[in-house]
Amino acid sequence: GVVAFEGAGQLGKDVLVSRIRETQAMLNAGAVFGVNLFVPSGFYTDPSSWTEPQAAAVEVARERYEGYLSELSGEAAGTAAPSLSREEHQAVFSGQVDALLETGVKLVSFHFGWPD
């Protein structure tokens, strides 16, 4: 079988609720689908905790994808997206959990670790 998943990424609560409601409207009554959440834990939220190899890997990835991001976003190359603090990541995550509870999503997966 197949189970569909909505990737929540860094979507805010209201956007995620809207996407979940749209998905629910397309499915048969009682159909289950999941939502994947990025857990705000681990090295990715705090560059000051990165080891030299981690920082180098992030820089290589940034350089590799900078042109693609520029093309997709319409922004000049080298224009970095604003970086969120760990607290801001946590606030987004908390809003997403609220969205799941509000909409009755029954299946959730986590990326970047387990929630605290």
Side-chain angles (χ1 to χ4, degrees), residues 88-102:
E88 290 167 320
H89 279 289
Q90 185 62 47
V92 169
F93 180 77
S94 294
Q96 291 173 337
V97 171
D98 290 343
L100 299 176
L101 295 171
E102 182 179 314

Side-chain angles (χ1 to χ4, degrees), residues 18-50:
S18 177
R19 286 198 180 177
I20 290 169
R21 297 267 188 239
E22 289 171 5
T23 302
Q24 289 169 327
M26 289 188 284
L27 298 174
N28 294 328
V32 174
F33 71 97
V35 175
N36 179 262
L37 302 180
F38 286 174
V39 178
S41 62
F43 86 94
Y44 80 97
T45 61
D46 183 8
S48 68
S49 69
W50 296 350

Side-chain angles (χ1 to χ4, degrees), residues 6-113:
E6 172 74 38
Q10 290 298 308
L11 296 176
K13 177 187 176 191
D14 294 339
V15 174
L16 184 56
V17 166
S18 177
R19 286 198 180 177
I20 290 169
R21 297 267 188 239
E22 289 171 5
T23 302
Q24 289 169 327
M26 289 188 284
L27 298 174
N28 294 328
V32 174
F33 71 97
V35 175
N36 179 262
L37 302 180
F38 286 174
V39 178
S41 62
F43 86 94
Y44 80 97
T45 61
D46 183 8
S48 68
S49 69
W50 296 350
T51 64
E52 286 186 36
Q54 288 168 333
V58 168
E59 181 61 20
V60 167
R62 185 197 62 74
E63 289 172 357
R64 180 180 301 141
Y65 296 110
E66 185 173 52
Y68 299 122
L69 291 172
S70 175
E71 182 178 333
L72 291 171
S73 69
E75 307 230 348
T79 305
S83 181
L84 299 179
S85 69
R86 184 176 175 93
E87 292 76 22
E88 290 167 320
H89 279 289
Q90 185 62 47
V92 169
F93 180 77
S94 294
Q96 291 173 337
V97 171
D98 290 343
L100 299 176
L101 295 171
E102 182 179 314
T103 58
V105 170
K106 294 178 175 62
L107 183 60
V108 180
S109 64
F110 300 105
H111 199 87
F112 301 124

